[in-house]
Amino acid sequence: MSGPARATAHASSRAAVLDVIRAAGTISRVGLINATGFTGATISTVVRRLIDDGLVVETGRAESTGGKRRVLLQLNQSSRYAVGVHLDHAGITYVLTNLGGSVVARMSRAGAGAEDPPAVVERMAGEVGALIEGVGVGRERVLGLGLVSPGPLTPTSGMRLTPPLMRHWEDFPLDRALQEATGLPVVSDNDATAAALGEHWSGGVGATATFAALYMGTGIGAGLLVDGMAYRGASGNAGEIGHSCLAVDGPRCWCGARGCVEALAGPSAVVTAARADRALARAAGL
């Protein structure tokens, strides 16, 4: 095995088996039974369908332990792809990943700026198309698009609470608009949660499946994972530590409160403080 096989909650037995194979690198059917707790019959059926769909391939046999050598399974990483988009006012980053999550193409373009959201979405759709065509991947092999942006987000209206520079995106149905423009299924989330999921999927946090990832982008946030699943809390934004109050009489934050972590230590606050210190500003080339 090239990595730990982590059994976490999934929407279906198919998704669970696929994720264990991805995390393990190579694994036998017996290994899948032990990792998932599914019966041998269930594993046999799911694996057969995954192979028929081209998502999984048999790749040699494991070393003998005294009996018949077990057939090893692994992802067919080039069988499917997905697009990832990080939207920010300063820049938009696009990636195309294979089934194993490895980036096969990446490009950065101008950010949302002050453009109207519909115009930005139209531009994004064109840039997504260019990314896919540039690699020569058939559109039918692209499963969907993952869209992340600064939080906090709401499940029904997208970027409900936005940083000042993206205030005109409030209540704009970004995920639905981008889905219509690209023709791809779109899943949206805030950038901090996506970063935590990326660390988990890539094995950057080792075998642990419960952790927090601190993320500094437009502001400060944290992605929280519990048993490999994103924890959002009752509000859906449990990781928005940037808007936790540290000083009740501190500087006013764009969210309307005072003394927030972001107002005291966010990127804008750090740059402002550095520029106010002439010696530091000269040393940093500001």
Side-chain angles (χ1 to χ4, degrees):
M1 294 184 184
S2 64
R6 294 183 290 266
T8 57
H10 293 85
S12 66
S13 58
R14 177 185 172 96
V17 170
L18 198 63
D19 193 30
V20 170
I21 295 173
R22 175 200 59 77
T26 57
I27 190 171
S28 68
R29 288 169 174 80
V30 172
L32 287 174
I33 294 171
N34 295 333
T36 63
F38 295 149
T39 65
T42 296
I43 290 297
S44 178
T45 299
V46 171
V47 168
R48 184 173 64 252
R49 290 175 179 172
L50 290 172
I51 291 175
D52 290 344
D53 290 342
L55 300 176
V56 169
V57 294
E58 294 181 335
T59 173
R61 293 178 179 271
E63 294 183 4
S64 175
T65 57
K68 185 178 179 181
R69 295 171 62 196
R70 295 168 180 167
V71 176
L72 294 174
L73 305 163
Q74 71 177 23
L75 288 186
N76 180 5
Q77 299 202 9
S78 61
S79 63
R80 302 290 191 279
Y81 295 84
V83 176
V85 180
H86 183 198
L87 171 67
D88 198 277
H89 75 276
I92 304 176
T93 301
Y94 302 86
V95 295
L96 185 69
T97 67
N98 63 22
L99 191 60
S102 298
V103 175
V104 297
R106 178 193 303 267
M107 70 181 190
S108 297
R109 294 294 184 266
E115 283 186 81
D116 289 334
V120 175
V121 168
E122 183 178 358
R123 174 162 62 88
M124 290 169 67
E127 290 166 350
V128 166
L131 178 74
I132 297 171
E133 293 168 11
V135 178
V137 171
R139 195 85 171 202
E140 72 282 356
R141 293 166 66 193
V142 179
L143 296 174
L145 186 152
L147 171 69
V148 300
S149 58
L153 305 177
T154 64
T156 57
S157 59
M159 289 187 284
R160 182 63 186 88
L161 299 172
T162 57
L165 292 174
M166 298 188 72
R167 192 58 50 81
H168 55 297
W169 287 84
E170 284 188 1
D171 297 323
F172 180 75
L174 176 57
D175 51 353
R176 295 197 299 273
L178 191 58
Q179 182 164 312
E180 292 175 2
T182 61
L184 294 171
V186 172
V187 175
S188 63
D189 214 325
N190 71 67
D191 45 16
T193 299
L197 286 167
E199 290 297 318
H200 175 59
W201 270 62
S202 65
V205 292
T208 182
T210 299
F211 66 95
L214 185 65
Y215 183 85
M216 180 178 284
T218 295
I220 298 179
L224 309 176
L225 262 67
V226 177
D227 291 333
M229 304 297 290
Y231 176 76
R232 306 176 190 280
S235 68
N237 293 287
E240 283 299 326
I241 62 172
H243 298 289
S244 300
C245 179
L246 293 183
V248 293
D249 296 324
R252 185 171 294 279
C253 180
W254 62 263
C255 72
R258 285 189 176 275
C260 290
V261 172
E262 186 170 318
L264 293 167
S268 178
V270 170
V271 171
T272 298
R275 284 177 170 165
D277 185 322
R278 293 185 179 180
L280 182 58
R282 283 196 300 271
L286 298 177

